[in-house]
Amino acid sequence: MLEAVERKLGRKLVIVQGSFLAGKAAKRSGPTHNRAGVVDIRTKDQNAAQQAQTLVELRKVSFAAFHRTTKQGFADHIHAVAIGDPGLDPSAARQVEAYRNGKNGLKDGGPLDGPRVKITVFPLTMPTGGVVPVGGRPVVHLVTVQLQFRAGGTKVLPDVKTIQLALNARIKTSLAVDGRAGKFTREAYKKHQKAIGSAPKFIDGIPGPKDLANLGRGRFRVI
Ligand SMILES: [Zn+2]
C-alpha cells in the first residue's frame, strides 16, 4: 500500500514508526501500533502542500490516515491504519471505525481533518489465504459461522476473524482475532446481541441473520 502511495506521489516516505511494536511504541500512540497494519509517516521533510497530498493519497489507497499535530500533543506526523487489515489491534480497528464516521480517532472524538475520499479496502492477501475484494467488503457466510460457533471454534475461519474484528470495534472488546469461535468470542457475540436489543431467546452467542447483518453494517456482507 505504501509503495502504491509513493508511486502516486513520485517521492519516498519516511516511516518513523511501524507495526508489531507490542508495547514498544511511543507512549502517545497507545496500543495502536502493537499489531499489524499501522504506520507513522514523517512530515517534517514535507512542506504543507506535500503533507496534504500525502494524506489524500494514503486515504485513496485505503488507509485511515490522520495528520497528528503538536497542537494535539504529538510530534507532527501522519498516522495511517490499513483499512481491512485482519491483524489490527482493536484500538486501531476502532480508529478505522472513527475514520469511517468522519472522526479523528482520538479520545476527544474530534472531526477528521483534510479531504474525505471514497472509502475502500485494499486487496490485501491475508495470512489465511483469503483476499479482501477491491473496493468491497469481506463476506461472512452465515451458515458456516453458525456451525463453527455451535461447535465451539474447532476450525480457524477467516469469516470468524471478520466477526471478531467487528466485535472488537463495536462493543469495545479485545478479542484475539484468531478465527476461532471459542468461549470469549461467543460471550462477546452475546453482548452484541444484548446491546442491539435482541429478544431474549435470540441472545445465545450464536450468529443469527439479523444480529449478524447488524454487526456487519459498514464492515462486511452476510451471505
Ligand atoms: Zn501512529
Side-chain angles (χ1 to χ4, degrees):
M1 290 169 74
L2 286 166
E3 283 168 1
V5 173
E6 287 179 332
R7 275 197 298 276
K8 245 342 199 339
L9 294 171
R11 56 186 158 85
K12 291 276 173 197
L13 297 171
V14 179
I15 308 301
V16 289
Q17 193 168 246
S19 303
F20 300 108
L21 293 178
K24 289 184 193 133
K27 215 174 171 187
R28 191 70 178 83
S29 300
T32 57
H33 287 256
N34 281 2
R35 296 169 66 177
V38 183
V39 288
D40 284 347
I41 289 157
R42 177 170 287 167
T43 46
K44 69 179 180 194
D45 54 352
Q46 304 175 49
N47 63 33
Q50 288 174 320
Q51 289 172 7
Q53 196 189 13
T54 303
L55 193 66
V56 172
E57 293 304 336
L58 284 164
R59 287 177 180 173
K60 282 188 183 163
V61 83
S62 56
F63 275 108
F66 309 93
H67 194 164
R68 300 302 191 214
T69 63
T70 50
K71 227 182 194 172
Q72 296 169 327
F74 294 94
D76 199 286
H77 71 281
I78 293 172
H79 172 77
V81 183
I83 298 172
D85 191 317
L88 294 179
D89 184 87
S91 60
R94 284 196 288 276
Q95 291 182 320
V96 172
E97 184 75 2
Y99 176 77
R100 287 188 188 281
N101 293 322
K103 299 274 164 54
N104 66 8
L106 296 176
K107 282 210 179 82
D108 67 12
L112 186 66
D113 57 316
R116 307 280 290 271
V117 306
K118 187 168 178 287
I119 296 172
T120 56
V121 178
F122 195 78
L124 291 163
T125 304
M126 297 184 180
T128 52
V131 168
V132 179
V134 186
R137 297 189 193 290
V139 167
V140 171
H141 302 78
L142 175 64
V143 177
T144 311
V145 295
Q146 280 178 330
L147 280 172
Q148 270 309 302
F149 271 69
R150 290 210 181 91
T154 50
K155 284 184 191 156
V156 174
L157 287 187
D159 289 21
V160 175
K161 285 189 183 182
T162 304
I163 291 175
Q164 288 167 329
L165 277 171
L167 286 170
N168 283 341
R170 180 68 83 83
I171 59 165
K172 319 284 182 231
T173 51
S174 48
L175 294 170
V177 182
D178 60 1
R180 285 184 190 275
K183 189 176 147 212
F184 295 114
T185 301
R186 292 198 306 278
E187 280 306 313
Y189 200 89
K190 225 174 186 172
K191 275 188 200 160
H192 158 65
Q193 290 170 321
K194 215 171 185 174
I196 62 168
S198 303
K201 66 171 175 177
F202 294 121
I203 303 177
D204 55 1
I206 310 291
K210 280 189 183 162
D211 47 59
L212 191 59
N214 179 299
L215 183 65
R217 239 178 254 161
R219 298 189 189 87
F220 58 80
R221 233 160 22 94
V222 180
I223 57 170

